[in-house]
Amino acid sequence: MNEIAIECRNLSKVFKAGFFPKPVEALKSLTFEVPAGKVTGFLGPNGSGKSTFLKVAAEFIAATEGTVTFFGGKSFSEVKKDIGFVPEKPMYPSSFTGRQILDFHAKLTRVDQIRIEEVVKLVGLENATSRAFRTYSKGMKQRLAIAQALLPDPKLLILDEPLSGLDPDGREVLIQVIQGYASRPGKTVILSSHLLEDLQRICNNLVVIESGCLLFSGDPSSVFKPNQFLVRYKLDQKTFEIKCSNTDLNSKLGELLSKDVQIHSIEPESKPISALYFELTKKNLKQNTEKRVKEVVM
Amino acid sequence: MRNTMLLSQFFLKDLIYRKIFFVALGLGLSFVILSLLLGPLSYNEEARLAINFSLAGSQIALIFLSVLVGADFIKLDIESQAIHSFLARPISRFQFFIGKFIAFAGCLFFLSLFMWFGFYLVSAIIGLETSLVSILPFWGVFLESLVLFSFAMMTSLFASSLMTVGASFALFLVGHFVEMLRQLEKSDDLMAKIFGGLITKVIPNLESLNWKAHLTYNEWASPMTYFKFSLYGMSWIFLLVAVGYLIFSKKDFS
């Protein structure tokens, strides 16, 4: 049986602020599981509740109802030492150098200097650790945050929007670091993002949230069966490609074989995560857009 | 305990790097030096005037520092989400809160000590009679500043920085008039009686930590009196820190 890294049961969060608070339901009875040893992407538009879920999981905010448990019923506090957390906006005292920040976190997690060197090299910050944190670019801040999260070699790495606002180079570096970590046996990664292409590259498990509701949870390929095939065939020494849907695949193949062509390959054409995402959310997006347009026009 | 001490060392370094430590020290020492140098300008009361002004200067520097730092010390970490990086580590909310408090208390202690040392040195240089007992008023100022810091830190968890600073300075002012307000208890008016009784119980009597006059007039109380008042100040600090932690432990850091 596969191990479960995170088990979320009936999780709700209602925010109330101010003197006369109007309750805002950020999470609505979320129930899902995150399998261990996989890279799970939390997908959803801005304000959908991705970060709120991660903050509730990390006990930064209290759940109104429901529970989030780790590795077989343990709370976040009980497994903190096995978890690396990279917040949405990594912030450290601005006058400290990267090295001082890592030294401090190494002492907290009882990690030696060799490990610091390893993680610094891993995230490519070798030439920047002596610089003050305030001089770091956004990408460097993210890399430093990942370095500190990786210090104790955690079983689970949680990253809250690590790729947003980064330039393509910075994103590439971070994706490689995350992929490198996730490729090791027993390591689980959870990252939230609204960047579909990046999630497509990294994730093999997906949780889609919108307006605090769970739209999808699981392996995207399992529900997203290919309904389109790419057929390659040779005719007169030239290679051709045609696309056909599930329904007309047989008739198309019969047609080609009758013309005495040589079928080279038939490949299911995988659709991007974005297709699944828009399929799941299009109704809501359409409703929201119509509502906003009406509001503006009125 | 180990993590709390690591945190307090880290935050103490942060305070030093933020140069707050040096600004307050510079301000306090300039007050001390200026007051001691201004003393001779007065008629007949040079020593008293110089001592009184220099102690008041140190008190103002430390109190301003305590209130202004206290109003933002934890609040900034919450607002900037820096707190997430700490609490995701094997650190409890209690360790974080106490670590921050100890860091500032340490900073304030060293500042008070340096200011007393500066006062002692300059007094000796300009020929004022003083002894090691002169450290006592500085200890009183340290305790008073820490009471105000604890109050500001607690208030900042649910109020804006401006409100926190305002409330802390109000506490400073009212805290020095608690003895006078106590007289209301003797009033015939029921409301005034209730108000007088209440205010003396919910507001720390900061005047009991004000020992400047003891040094100025060289009239010292018994060691037991200082011990009792120190204990009184510490009890208020403990109470405010405990209430502050209760609020902090229940707070959402979104």
Side-chain angles (χ1 to χ4, degrees):
Chain A
M1 198 179 130
N2 286 340
E3 199 191 347
I4 302 296
I6 297 184
E7 197 173 358
C8 176
R9 289 273 165 267
N10 200 27
L11 189 72
S12 298
K13 176 67 191 173
V14 179
F15 284 109
K16 286 178 189 171
F19 283 109
F20 304 105
K22 190 183 168 195
V24 177
E25 237 183 314
L27 301 175
K28 297 167 188 166
S29 296
L30 292 183
T31 299
F32 62 88
E33 288 171 350
V34 173
K38 286 195 171 183
V39 182
T40 299
F42 273 72
L43 188 60
N46 289 331
S48 58
K50 306 181 297 286
S51 291
T52 304
F53 166 73
L54 294 180
K55 284 170 189 166
V56 171
E59 297 176 353
F60 299 149
I61 54 182
T64 309
E65 218 175 278
T67 55
V68 184
T69 53
F70 295 79
F71 301 113
K74 291 173 188 154
S75 70
F76 183 79
S77 307
E78 289 172 299
V79 289
K80 261 184 184 180
K81 61 179 188 336
D82 293 325
I83 297 177
F85 188 92
V86 180
E88 190 177 353
K89 294 176 202 158
M91 280 298 295
Y92 302 99
S94 58
S95 306
F96 279 70
T97 64
R99 180 73 198 201
Q100 284 174 314
I101 291 163
L102 289 176
D103 276 343
F104 167 69
H105 283 274
K107 279 181 194 162
L108 277 178
T109 46
R110 297 170 195 263
V111 161
D112 58 20
Q113 294 292 313
I114 299 164
R115 181 65 188 157
I116 298 179
E117 301 303 334
E118 278 173 12
V119 293
V120 164
K121 206 173 162 189
L122 187 71
V123 298
L125 276 180
E126 297 98 315
N127 301 322
T129 48
S130 56
R131 281 169 51 186
F133 181 70
R134 64 167 167 265
T135 66
Y136 278 26
S137 67
K138 187 164 184 188
M140 289 163 84
K141 284 178 182 172
Q142 288 286 11
R143 279 192 267 167
L144 184 73
I146 292 181
Q148 72 88 7
L150 290 177
L151 271 173
D153 196 18
K155 269 163 76 178
L156 170 63
L157 182 64
I158 302 175
L159 305 109
D160 191 1
E161 298 272 5
L163 305 167
S164 61
L166 298 185
D167 59 29
D169 288 349
R171 265 168 45 197
E172 197 52 42
V173 171
L174 281 194
I175 287 171
Q176 279 175 16
V177 170
I178 295 165
Q179 282 177 326
Y181 169 81
S183 65
R184 292 168 55 204
K187 302 292 182 190
T188 308
V189 178
I190 292 172
L191 77 157
S192 71
S193 181
H194 54 266
L195 301 168
L196 302 165
E197 299 78 19
D198 295 328
L199 283 184
Q200 168 102 17
R201 282 181 62 191
I202 311 172
C203 303
N204 46 22
N205 190 55
L206 196 67
V207 174
V208 184
I209 300 174
E210 202 208 12
S211 305
C213 296
L214 183 74
L215 295 185
F216 173 78
S217 163
D219 182 352
S221 60
S222 68
V223 283
F224 213 62
K225 287 179 184 130
N227 55 6
Q228 194 156 305
F229 292 86
L230 185 70
V231 181
R232 286 197 186 92
Y233 62 92
K234 274 188 179 174
L235 184 66
D236 300 333
Q237 302 301 316
K238 283 181 186 169
T239 306
F240 296 92
E241 285 181 0
I242 55 160
K243 283 180 183 175
C244 40
S245 66
N246 253 342
T247 48
D248 60 352
L249 179 66
N250 285 341
S251 61
K252 229 17 163 202
L253 284 176
E255 199 181 306
L256 287 172
L257 289 169
S258 66
K259 287 179 186 169
D260 204 22
V261 298
Q262 190 187 346
I263 306 288
H264 191 262
S265 65
I266 306 167
E267 288 171 14
E269 198 170 46
S270 61
K271 283 191 182 175
I273 281 180
S274 57
L276 171 62
Y277 172 73
F278 287 118
E279 198 169 293
L280 289 166
T281 58
K282 67 184 173 195
K283 193 181 165 193
N284 298 330
L285 284 173
K286 196 182 167 196
Q287 281 172 352
N288 287 345
T289 313
E290 279 171 1
K291 194 179 160 194
R292 275 186 215 126
V293 169
K294 268 184 190 169
E295 279 170 4
V296 171
V297 173
M298 294 297 277
Chain B
M1 190 64 190
R2 178 185 171 271
N3 282 355
T4 310
M5 292 324 289
L6 276 173
L7 277 166
S8 53
Q9 280 170 21
F10 185 76
F11 293 130
L12 182 60
K13 263 189 209 168
D14 182 35
L15 281 169
I16 293 169
Y17 288 159
R18 278 158 64 181
K19 300 181 182 74
I20 293 166
F21 186 85
F22 298 107
V23 170
L25 185 65
L27 193 70
L29 283 179
S30 354
F31 273 131
V32 170
I33 294 165
L34 275 174
S35 308
L36 290 172
L37 296 176
L38 281 172
L41 296 177
S42 72
Y43 178 71
N44 215 15
E45 294 281 349
E46 298 97 334
R48 278 181 194 170
L49 191 86
I51 289 169
N52 215 355
F53 273 165
S54 62
L55 281 170
S58 309
Q59 185 188 25
I60 288 167
L62 292 178
I63 280 173
F64 262 85
L65 176 81
S66 303
V67 170
L68 296 179
V69 172
D72 271 341
F73 205 38
I74 286 187
K75 196 185 185 72
L76 274 184
D77 285 336
I78 297 171
E79 284 177 352
S80 68
Q81 300 186 357
I83 196 164
H84 294 168
S85 306
F86 293 101
L87 294 184
R89 286 271 158 249
I91 294 170
S92 65
R93 288 190 180 205
F94 178 76
Q95 287 171 327
F96 181 85
F97 193 81
I98 297 299
K100 279 242 152 190
F101 175 78
I102 293 174
F104 186 77
C107 175
L108 201 64
F109 180 78
F110 285 118
L111 274 172
S112 311
L113 203 64
F114 286 143
M115 281 185 194
W116 167 71
F117 189 68
F119 168 81
Y120 190 79
L121 207 68
V122 179
S123 302
I125 290 167
I126 64 170
L128 282 178
E129 249 186 69
T130 187
S131 67
L132 291 177
V133 193
S134 60
I135 199 169
L136 277 174
F138 286 89
W139 170 247
V141 169
F142 164 72
L143 288 175
E144 184 185 352
S145 305
L146 213 50
V147 170
L148 289 168
F149 171 75
S150 311
F151 177 78
M153 197 160 86
M154 177 197 78
T155 313
S156 73
L157 294 172
F158 56 85
S160 69
S161 299
L162 195 66
M163 274 177 72
T164 303
V165 170
S168 305
F169 281 120
L171 179 76
F172 170 70
L173 290 174
V174 179
H176 280 278
F177 291 103
V178 166
E179 276 306 318
M180 284 169 70
L181 293 167
R182 203 189 290 272
Q183 300 304 316
L184 290 171
E185 280 185 290
K186 294 171 189 164
S187 165
D188 294 333
D189 185 52
L190 183 68
M191 286 308 288
K193 217 172 196 170
I194 294 170
F195 179 72
L198 195 70
I199 209 154
T200 50
K201 283 176 186 67
V202 296
I203 290 186
N205 181 1
L206 297 178
E207 201 54 28
S208 65
L209 301 171
N210 181 9
W211 308 328
K212 294 197 294 286
H214 300 195
L215 178 61
T216 311
Y217 296 99
N218 204 21
E219 287 171 4
W220 298 96
S222 67
M224 193 44 124
T225 310
Y226 293 111
F227 179 73
K228 265 164 51 184
F229 284 141
S230 297
L231 217 58
Y232 173 78
M234 285 179 201
S235 308
W236 267 105
I237 294 165
F238 178 80
L239 182 75
L240 291 167
V241 169
V243 175
Y245 171 67
L246 272 178
I247 300 167
F248 183 76
S249 65
K250 305 281 175 211
K251 201 169 170 60
D252 277 353
F253 305 127
S254 48

